[in-house]
Amino acid sequence: MAKHETPLLSQLETGPWPSFVSDIKREAESRAKNEKGIDYQIPVDACEDLLGVLELSYKHGRTHWKHGGIVGVFGYGGGVIGRYCDQPEQFPGVAHFHTMRVSQPAGKFYTTEYLKGLCDLWEFRGSGITNMHGSTGDIIFIGTTTPQLEEVFYELTHTFNQDLGGSGSNLRTPSDCVGQARCEFACYDTQAICHELTNYYQDELHRPAFPYKFKFKFDGCPNCCVASIARSDLSFIGTWRDEIRIDAEAVKAYVGGELKPNGGAHAGRDWGAFDIQKEVVDLCPTKCMRYADGKLEINNKECTRCMHCINVMPRALRIGNDRGVTILAGAKAPILDGAQMGTLIVPFMKAEAPYDDIKEKVIEPIWDWWMEEGKNRERLGELMKRQGLQRMIEVLGVDPDPRMVQEPRSNPYIFWKEDEVEGGWKRDINEFRKYHKR
């Protein structure tokens, strides 16, 4: 019989999708039976009490978790999120129930043996509840007591050769798409750069010194499978600067029905004959494509790399050969200000190991500026919004580019610096100033 009545939680199990409530109940039952004879290092009823405190939170309409101060492992300022229940007498099993973030490997490639080892470790020293790559990207160990933090950390580093991830006002664990390991569209080695920057910036990852969190995310192509353009302070999106390669024979095969569009993703459904004009050319956002007399042409100077045509006809159209990354900055979810997408700051840069140009010309100048000028809990995007894109360009020492502009300016009062103007412009500005002094 369950330790706590949870009618509100039970409603969450009635929908068509798998429920986390069912998972926690299953773990609670397993721990109560303890058929494996595990010598659990935290209270056996931790999962039962977790369900109880969650039910109470739903009943009261507010959380019963409190932040009890900083808790972590020796020498690290990040990687552990302290969780304390404000009803410890009623729910002693979760009086303290800390979360640990474990750094995921590049591309999230594991062996089953490795995953089983992690699960066994957490079953023994934690609640047994994990979140594999949620919104943070890390492996999440949910729920353990303070004495077990150092024990888990020791096992991770010595047995699994694995480190904790980032939390707090530091560099968060970098995240990447599967990249060239499995994707033909990847324009650079996402796993290599993710692994390199994770190792290179270990101090920034483990010892919080930033105004707030900072995220790198690496997308191998403009399909943006890890949504870096919307979720990272520095977004690295694979691109190319030469022409899309066209296989004319494969184009004919798509038009003739010999090849299925979209990689055959809609097999089993009759969508009718493929219409290249309707399904590809007319949907190009910049209208840079033309299909006439059985021939497909692309005005590559107008192409914005939206990937639609390549996704629809992957056998006929291929990414270019001169590949690198486009770098955007400042994406975030709502914190001090509203949500915003990344702003383009570097239209094209080669991404080749050891990535010194990216480190020295992009990452570190931005960090120096942000740490000097950023307010507490102000993300990079909010600093950019407050001080302006022009200031960001000055920090990076790059030339302004039309592709950085989101929309035409609406403010007519643009004040130039004297060293930026010459001749007539300078004379006109001086006359303007004299007029206003009168």
Side-chain angles (χ1 to χ4, degrees):
M1 181 178 178
K3 182 179 178 182
H4 305 285
E5 295 295 324
T6 57
L8 297 178
L9 291 184
S10 296
Q11 291 183 34
L12 298 178
E13 298 181 275
T14 61
W17 308 108
S19 171
F20 73 94
V21 175
S22 301
D23 291 339
I24 298 174
K25 286 182 177 179
R26 191 178 303 116
E27 182 64 25
E29 183 180 353
S30 172
R31 294 175 81 87
K33 292 180 179 179
N34 195 10
E35 294 172 345
K36 297 180 181 178
I38 298 172
D39 183 16
Y40 297 118
Q41 298 298 291
I42 74 168
V44 171
D45 57 357
C47 292
E48 287 276 10
D49 281 353
L50 177 62
L51 291 166
V53 73
L54 185 57
E55 177 76 16
L56 192 65
S57 295
Y58 285 167
K59 182 178 179 181
H60 291 169
R62 62 183 176 86
T63 182
H64 284 286
W65 298 103
K66 61 180 182 177
H67 192 290
I70 301 299
V71 61
V73 298
F74 184 72
Y76 281 21
V80 178
I81 299 100
R83 290 286 183 268
Y84 296 90
C85 178
D86 66 3
Q87 304 290 323
E89 297 83 8
Q90 188 175 355
F91 307 106
V94 292
H96 37 143
F97 201 66
H98 311 310
T99 289
M100 302 184 77
R101 288 181 176 166
V102 182
S103 181
Q104 78 272 17
K108 303 179 180 67
F109 282 97
Y110 303 102
T111 64
T112 53
E113 180 183 4
Y114 174 86
L115 288 175
K116 184 178 184 302
L118 284 184
C119 292
D120 287 345
L121 168 63
W122 196 239
E123 189 82 14
F124 178 51
R125 297 197 178 277
S127 67
I129 301 171
T130 63
N131 177 359
M132 297 300 289
H133 310 300
S135 58
T136 65
D138 304 271
I139 302 166
I140 307 297
F141 282 170
I142 301 175
T144 194
T145 58
T146 303
Q148 294 304 312
L149 296 175
E150 287 289 354
E151 302 291 344
V152 173
F153 179 57
Y154 182 90
E155 287 294 328
L156 283 173
T157 55
H158 289 71
T159 302
F160 296 94
N161 194 29
Q162 189 68 39
D163 205 350
L164 294 184
S167 68
S169 296
N170 63 2
L171 174 65
R172 297 301 179 83
T173 317
S175 177
D176 65 311
C177 72
V178 73
Q180 293 176 337
R182 295 194 64 186
C183 180
E184 62 188 308
F185 301 150
C187 298
Y188 69 106
D189 193 336
T190 56
Q191 292 181 60
I193 189 172
C194 184
H195 182 73
E196 167 64 20
L197 296 188
T198 301
N199 288 340
Y200 189 81
Y201 291 118
Q202 279 293 291
D203 198 58
E204 288 76 12
L205 203 152
H206 291 306
R207 295 168 184 86
F210 291 160
Y212 200 28
K213 67 181 80 168
F214 196 96
K215 299 177 180 179
F216 296 142
K217 293 190 188 298
F218 305 93
D219 276 305
C221 77
N223 277 324
C224 223
C225 291
V226 295
S228 65
I229 194 172
R231 304 194 300 145
S232 60
D233 299 88
L234 269 186
S235 166
F236 298 82
I237 301 177
T239 188
W240 62 94
R241 57 182 175 183
D242 55 348
E243 298 185 349
I244 294 175
R245 293 173 288 159
I246 302 175
D247 183 334
E249 292 303 315
V251 172
K252 292 179 181 178
Y254 278 108
V255 174
E258 300 163 31
L259 292 175
K260 298 294 183 183
N262 300 293
H266 302 302
R269 298 186 65 178
D270 185 10
W271 295 91
F274 174 62
D275 186 338
I276 190 172
Q277 184 67 38
K278 179 181 177 180
E279 298 180 44
V280 178
V281 177
D282 290 347
L283 294 179
C284 176
T286 61
K287 307 302 178 186
C288 72
M289 307 185 76
R290 185 168 75 98
Y291 183 74
D293 301 323
K295 185 178 180 181
L296 181 67
E297 296 177 346
I298 301 175
N299 180 3
N300 282 275
K301 291 181 179 180
E302 295 298 318
C303 176
T304 57
R305 316 295 192 267
C306 78
M307 295 295 291
H308 173 71
C309 61
I310 296 176
N311 290 335
V312 174
M313 301 192 300
R315 297 275 292 275
L317 302 175
R318 300 273 179 167
I319 61 176
N321 287 319
D322 187 7
R323 304 168 189 171
V325 292
T326 292
I327 304 176
L328 299 94
K332 67 177 190 68
I335 300 290
L336 296 182
D337 204 352
Q340 60 193 56
M341 302 282 272
T343 297
L344 187 144
I345 56 171
V346 179
F348 185 88
M349 178 179 278
K350 286 290 188 179
E352 298 171 347
Y355 312 105
D356 289 339
D357 277 356
I358 290 174
K359 295 171 188 171
E360 297 168 8
K361 296 179 181 179
V362 180
I363 295 171
E364 290 164 20
I366 286 175
W367 279 352
D368 289 343
W369 171 52
W370 181 49
M371 286 192 283
E372 181 70 26
E373 302 287 344
K375 298 178 181 180
N376 185 41
R377 292 178 68 84
E378 182 177 52
R379 294 287 289 274
L380 174 65
E382 289 157 341
L383 175 61
M384 291 169 61
K385 197 171 182 180
R386 179 163 61 87
Q387 294 198 356
L389 180 60
Q390 182 178 350
R391 180 70 184 118
M392 164 68 89
I393 292 171
E394 291 172 359
V395 166
L396 290 176
V398 299
D399 294 327
D401 189 290
R403 288 167 290 186
M404 298 173 179
V405 179
Q406 183 177 11
E407 60 189 20
R409 74 169 186 255
S410 55
N411 182 352
Y413 296 98
I414 305 299
F415 297 97
W416 301 85
K417 296 180 181 177
E418 288 194 10
D419 59 358
E420 293 177 345
V421 294
E422 297 176 1
W425 279 104
K426 192 169 185 179
R427 183 177 62 252
D428 291 347
I429 289 173
N430 287 334
E431 289 299 319
F432 179 80
R433 288 173 177 164
K434 289 178 184 178
Y435 174 82
H436 275 276
K437 283 181 180 178
R438 293 201 301 268

